[in-house]
Amino acid sequence: MNDLVRQHTALSDSDLEWLHLLVSEWQLLSDLSFADLVLWIPTLDGTRYVSVAQMRPNTGPTSYQDDMVGHLVPRGRRPMLDCALDEGRIVREGDPEWREEVPVRVESIPVRREGRVLGVIARNTNLLTVRTPSRLELTYLQSASDLAQMIAAGTFPFPGQQVDMDASPRAGDGLIRLDADGVVQYASPNALSAYHRLGLAADLVGHHLGQTTAELAPARGPVDEALVKLASGWAPREFEVEGNDGVIQLRAIPLKPKGTHIGSLVLLRDVTELRRRERELITKDATIREIHHRVKNNLQTVAALLRLQSRRMDSEQGREALDEAVRRVGSIAIVHETLSQTLDERVEFDEIADRVLAMVAEIAPGKVTTRRTGRFGILEAEVATPLSMVLTEVLQNALEHAFEQVQHGTVEVAAVRGGSRIEPRLLVTVQDNGRGLPEGFDPHRAGNLGLQIVRTLVEGELGGTFDMTRRPEGGTQVLLDIPVRAEKKKH
């Protein structure tokens, strides 16, 4: 719509924002009218109309099989559009049109903003299935007529009331029509069922909706007064009411077709099961975070026990092995600590990489500098946990062996997100300027425990590749190429 309006018309950004607000609301008008809606805007030179938006009803058959958006119509071809635009009134005159052997009633509703007519809504009703209307259909049509008059007067939609139509109740979910005093004139079967879920034992018609709703809600005191006013439909609001183990979502729309408040339209939906599932998910998320927190605590306890055992060891080799185990456990604990603070099983790995660097740097001999460049980004937990261990092993190997006879050096971790959108990959390089690899060293055959862990995790767990080579300028370079959307294992 933005492109069409800016390309063909002279409307300002504020006018365009008004049209967006209207389009966010007009599914309701379409459903209440049982009709298709097409928004026509006059072009810059005033000789044509351009169709910028279209809506089909959920409550009846469509009048247009084709998409009308983007069509240009010369002025004069559709006299009802001209009349509505020039005179600023709703035009209903004229005989039904025949489209593909289907009779269609056409009406034109001017779209007004701040006294100016921006365009015209063509309301097209398929008359093929017309029958004697029921009380529900008559209420729908009367409400649609009131909304159409408000659009023509520039009082609907309501400024500042952007509506999410995916989350808000729709006409088919439940509809209540109130008079000017807030008394129910009509309640659809779905609306009545929703109130029965709250604990209502009687009919709604003839009762004051605000007072009835407040009586069904468990809250008492000042909240009741606010609830009475909201449910009476005096202001455009969306709210929820909970009672008797039921939850209903309500949206109030004041009706002022001629500038005077004549009543309200209340749309409502039973969201009891939806809210119950949301609460279950919140509870599940909290439980998962608590599990990660306890796992982290348990791993830290294991690390502390290994550290105590290390201090009691007489063998230097035994102490070194336990210290390595402490760091391995610590790297996994860091991931679980991060997961315990998130709402999903995804982590920002840059923070984890920095903490692993700091933890491993404690074993560095002399003055060895560690740094990270690039970004790992957000990773799934199933990737983050083994990757943190891989990073720990590679860094530990570099700091232990690359600088045995050197007092100064640098270890750098570089991360780059690559691959395609369908198959994104993470490229990690760990390089140092130490003594380098010995002649004939093969990282894929080396029996070192740390390298065995790296190979197993990278190739088996992460489905990536691992290589370790000499740097031309001296030192060692480790290359990791890992897919970052690893498929979850089937259990």
Side-chain angles (χ1 to χ4, degrees):
M1 186 167 74
N2 288 350
D3 293 340
L4 289 170
V5 168
R6 287 170 179 151
Q7 179 182 354
H8 295 285
T9 78
L11 297 184
S12 64
D13 288 342
S14 56
D15 291 335
L16 179 57
E17 185 60 32
W18 181 262
L19 296 182
H20 275 292
L21 194 59
L22 172 65
V23 168
S24 73
E25 293 272 23
W26 72 343
Q27 178 71 64
L28 174 61
L29 178 62
S30 178
D31 290 346
L32 293 175
S33 304
F34 308 98
D36 291 76
L37 305 178
V38 180
L39 178 58
W40 297 94
I41 308 295
T43 57
L44 184 61
D45 58 10
T47 62
R48 296 180 296 177
Y49 297 96
V50 59
S51 169
V52 299
Q54 178 179 358
M55 179 57 67
R56 292 184 173 90
N58 293 318
T59 52
T62 183
S63 302
Y64 287 110
Q65 297 300 324
D66 299 325
D67 188 357
M68 294 296 295
V69 175
H71 282 217
L72 290 165
V73 174
R75 184 178 171 88
R77 179 176 295 179
R78 299 192 178 182
M80 295 178 70
L81 291 182
D82 300 338
C83 186
L85 182 68
D86 297 338
E87 300 179 16
R89 65 180 180 87
I90 298 175
V91 181
R92 296 189 175 93
E93 300 87 0
D95 296 327
E97 297 180 2
W98 286 84
R99 300 174 189 163
E100 299 179 358
E101 300 183 356
V102 174
V104 176
R105 182 175 63 242
V106 181
E107 303 167 85
S108 294
I109 305 166
V111 177
R112 194 183 304 273
R113 175 180 179 265
E114 296 180 352
R116 297 179 299 112
V117 177
L118 306 182
V120 179
I121 294 176
R123 180 163 56 177
N124 304 270
T125 306
N126 187 324
L127 299 177
L128 198 61
T129 57
V130 169
R131 61 186 185 279
T132 303
S134 64
R135 180 74 188 279
L136 181 144
E137 291 169 330
L138 288 173
T139 304
Y140 272 31
L141 293 172
Q142 180 58 54
S143 301
S145 176
D146 293 336
L147 289 178
Q149 292 183 58
M150 292 171 65
I151 292 173
T155 57
F156 186 83
F158 304 108
Q161 292 289 323
Q162 188 75 34
V163 176
D164 181 1
M165 291 306 298
D166 291 332
S168 294
R170 299 194 178 193
D173 295 326
L175 179 143
I176 297 175
R177 176 80 184 224
L178 308 179
D179 65 13
D181 297 322
V183 176
V184 178
Q185 293 180 310
Y186 174 78
S188 72
N190 285 346
L192 196 57
S193 296
Y195 264 83
H196 285 165
R197 187 76 177 262
L198 287 182
L200 179 70
D203 194 1
L204 272 173
V205 176
H207 291 78
H208 190 279
L209 185 66
Q211 295 174 358
T212 302
T213 304
E215 291 170 0
L216 294 172
R220 292 291 179 266
V223 178
D224 283 359
E225 297 179 8
L227 186 58
V228 168
K229 191 170 183 179
L230 285 173
S232 298
W234 281 94
R237 293 288 186 273
E238 192 167 313
F239 56 100
E240 288 189 4
V241 176
E242 183 170 357
N244 194 38
D245 296 327
V247 184
I248 60 173
Q249 180 184 17
L250 299 98
R251 183 188 173 205
I253 303 172
L255 298 176
K256 302 177 181 179
K258 296 181 180 179
T260 303
H261 181 78
I262 65 164
S264 304
L265 198 62
V266 178
L267 307 178
L268 64 151
R269 176 171 57 186
D270 185 348
V271 292
T272 305
E273 293 305 314
L274 179 62
R275 296 296 177 259
R276 181 183 63 80
R277 288 196 296 269
E278 286 178 352
R279 285 194 288 266
E280 288 178 353
L281 286 174
I282 292 172
T283 303
K284 181 181 177 181
D285 288 341
T287 302
I288 290 172
R289 290 200 300 274
E290 178 62 22
I291 289 172
H292 284 303
H293 182 71
R294 293 190 182 189
V295 170
K296 182 263 296 183
N297 288 343
N298 290 340
L299 289 172
Q300 289 180 336
T301 301
V302 171
L305 292 172
L306 292 174
R307 200 174 291 113
L308 286 172
Q309 187 66 38
S310 171
R311 292 170 184 168
R312 295 174 178 269
M313 292 286 291
D314 295 328
S315 167
E316 182 68 25
Q317 186 176 7
R319 278 199 301 272
E320 290 179 358
L322 287 176
D323 289 341
E324 287 182 2
V326 167
R327 285 186 287 275
R328 287 166 183 150
V329 172
S331 67
I332 302 175
I334 290 172
V335 177
H336 282 282
E337 181 179 3
T338 306
L339 287 169
S340 70
Q341 300 168 0
T342 63
L343 294 176
D344 54 17
E345 292 290 287
R346 307 172 76 206
V347 295
E348 177 62 66
F349 198 80
D350 294 318
E351 178 186 350
I352 294 175
D354 291 340
R355 292 181 64 179
V356 169
L357 267 170
M359 178 182 68
V360 178
E362 295 175 0
I363 68 170
K367 296 182 179 180
V368 177
T369 303
T370 61
R371 65 169 177 262
R372 174 181 61 84
T373 60
R375 290 193 70 251
F376 286 86
I378 296 176
L379 299 178
E380 300 289 341
E382 60 185 8
V383 175
T385 302
L387 182 57
S388 67
M389 286 197 65
V390 168
L391 198 57
T392 301
E393 295 299 331
V394 172
L395 289 169
Q396 188 168 280
N397 188 70
L399 292 170
E400 282 186 349
H401 303 296
F403 304 105
E404 286 182 336
Q405 300 173 353
V406 182
Q407 293 301 308
H408 298 275
T410 301
V411 176
E412 178 180 336
V413 177
V416 178
R417 297 294 283 259
S420 65
R421 189 175 180 181
I422 299 175
E423 296 182 356
R425 303 186 74 83
L426 176 64
L427 308 176
V428 182
T429 304
V430 180
Q431 56 186 11
D432 63 69
N433 58 356
R435 64 176 185 170
L437 297 173
E439 289 293 334
F441 180 82
D442 184 355
H444 299 286
R445 296 178 179 272
N448 178 289
L449 176 61
L451 290 180
Q452 288 182 12
I453 292 174
V454 170
R455 287 197 301 269
T456 300
L457 291 177
V458 172
E459 297 172 0
E461 188 77 12
L462 295 172
T465 60
F466 156 74
D467 198 11
M468 179 183 287
T469 61
R470 280 175 171 269
R471 295 178 66 207
E473 60 271 36
T476 305
Q477 176 174 272
V478 177
L479 302 172
L480 305 173
D481 184 353
I482 300 167
V484 292
R485 282 186 186 170
E487 292 185 5
K488 292 185 178 180
K489 294 180 174 62
K490 295 181 180 179
H491 297 283

